Amino acid sequence: MSIILKIDNVEKYYGNKSSLTKALDNISFEVREGEFVAIMGASGSGKTTLLNCISTIDKVTSGHIYVSRKDITKLKGNRLNEFRREQLGFIFQDFNLLDTLTAYENIALALTIQKVNAKEIDMKIKQIAKSLAIEDILNKYPYQMSGGQKQRVASARAIITNPSLILADEPTGALDSKSSSMLLDKFHYLNQDLGATILMVTHDAISASYATRVIFIKDGKMFHEIIRGDDSKKVFFNKIIDVMTLLGGDLSDAL
């Protein structure tokens, strides 16, 4: 499978000469098409900084990030906006839905910006709504939805444009255990059945156990990596916990 994401010797510094913090320390890895990769690490490990650099919210200090062979660290202006619009899908912890729009309109917005015709938009939304079990809430506003429903709408919005890469930032952080489980099952469906490539930052070992690979970061550096392979979710979860113990993370935060 082709390489969708390539992180090449990325470093990120914050502050100035008198008070300099190295948030990312020479990190390199690749994500191939169709993978579901989780990034784990304790608070302050650099995992969110890494996601922000990949999503172009933040800029790297040195190194390069390639998405579909395009060096996104060099993009500016309209080319950067086009990249974000057409290549990336975002799923945030706090949903980021527009309160004045219905679920249908929130999902349609990304396609409308791409100037897709109304008939095709309607067809695509009905297809994705069926796959994520949100057909019955398409006409509801965010305040009328549960947290799990909001996150599934946000997931539909992220996947509707067929982006090269879906970035998920603590997607279950604001959800109860039942809603989290339902959402992660849908992530599994998006990955296995629709072929979506997902990079998810999480502190939660249960969430990470749904991934096909987990990368662990400590103090801004690559610490370890495990691949699920033929392991059951339970076996993979236990392997994640073992690494978290070695990592020195707080297991109460990982569970």
Side-chain angles (χ1 to χ4, degrees), residues 179-193:
S179 296
S180 294
S181 180
M182 289 178 63
L183 178 68
L184 291 165
D185 284 339
K186 296 305 180 185
F187 271 31
H188 181 77
Y189 170 80
L190 291 174
N191 174 246
Q192 295 296 312
D193 291 47

Side-chain angles (χ1 to χ4, degrees), residues 182-222:
M182 289 178 63
L183 178 68
L184 291 165
D185 284 339
K186 296 305 180 185
F187 271 31
H188 181 77
Y189 170 80
L190 291 174
N191 174 246
Q192 295 296 312
D193 291 47
L194 299 186
T197 305
I198 303 172
L199 183 68
M200 174 178 69
V201 163
T202 182
H203 71 278
D204 176 46
I206 295 175
S207 297
S209 69
Y210 281 77
T212 54
R213 179 160 59 113
V214 182
I215 294 172
F216 299 86
I217 295 177
K218 183 177 182 179
D219 299 329
K221 297 180 180 181
M222 294 279 290

Side-chain angles (χ1 to χ4, degrees), residues 120-138:
E120 186 176 352
I121 288 175
D122 189 64
M123 179 188 70
K124 285 178 177 287
I125 291 177
K126 286 177 179 177
Q127 287 176 343
I128 198 69
K130 184 177 181 179
S131 67
L132 292 177
I134 53 173
E135 294 168 289
D136 59 335
I137 62 167
L138 286 178

Side-chain angles (χ1 to χ4, degrees), residues 37-211:
V37 179
I39 305 286
M40 296 195 76
S43 296
S45 62
K47 62 184 186 296
T48 298
T49 298
L50 177 61
L51 192 74
N52 287 343
C53 289
I54 296 170
S55 65
T56 68
I57 291 172
D58 208 346
K59 290 183 176 292
V60 303
T61 302
S62 64
H64 299 273
I65 298 175
Y66 301 89
V67 175
S68 298
R69 299 183 180 181
K70 182 178 294 183
D71 187 350
I72 66 173
T73 61
K74 295 182 178 179
L75 297 179
K76 297 179 180 178
N78 290 335
R79 291 182 63 201
L80 180 58
N81 292 333
E82 182 181 344
F83 164 76
R84 289 171 176 160
R85 187 171 64 243
E86 297 183 0
Q87 299 294 318
L88 296 182
F90 298 93
I91 302 173
F92 302 94
Q93 180 177 339
D94 58 357
F95 320 127
N96 278 22
L97 298 177
L98 297 176
D99 292 334
T100 56
L101 300 182
T102 63
Y104 185 101
E105 291 165 342
N106 266 284
I107 299 167
L109 189 58
L111 294 174
T112 303
I113 292 171
Q114 291 186 359
K115 298 181 180 179
V116 177
N117 68 67
K119 187 176 181 180
E120 186 176 352
I121 288 175
D122 189 64
M123 179 188 70
K124 285 178 177 287
I125 291 177
K126 286 177 179 177
Q127 287 176 343
I128 198 69
K130 184 177 181 179
S131 67
L132 292 177
I134 53 173
E135 294 168 289
D136 59 335
I137 62 167
L138 286 178
N139 292 321
K140 290 186 177 181
Y141 291 90
Y143 75 89
Q144 298 172 309
M145 306 175 202
S146 68
Q149 289 172 332
K150 289 178 185 178
Q151 197 59 295
R152 278 182 281 153
V153 171
S155 299
R157 181 184 59 187
I159 196 72
I160 195 76
T161 57
N162 293 318
S164 299
L165 181 64
I166 296 173
L167 302 175
D169 184 12
E170 300 282 6
T172 62
L175 303 180
D176 59 39
S177 58
K178 182 179 179 181
S179 296
S180 294
S181 180
M182 289 178 63
L183 178 68
L184 291 165
D185 284 339
K186 296 305 180 185
F187 271 31
H188 181 77
Y189 170 80
L190 291 174
N191 174 246
Q192 295 296 312
D193 291 47
L194 299 186
T197 305
I198 303 172
L199 183 68
M200 174 178 69
V201 163
T202 182
H203 71 278
D204 176 46
I206 295 175
S207 297
S209 69
Y210 281 77

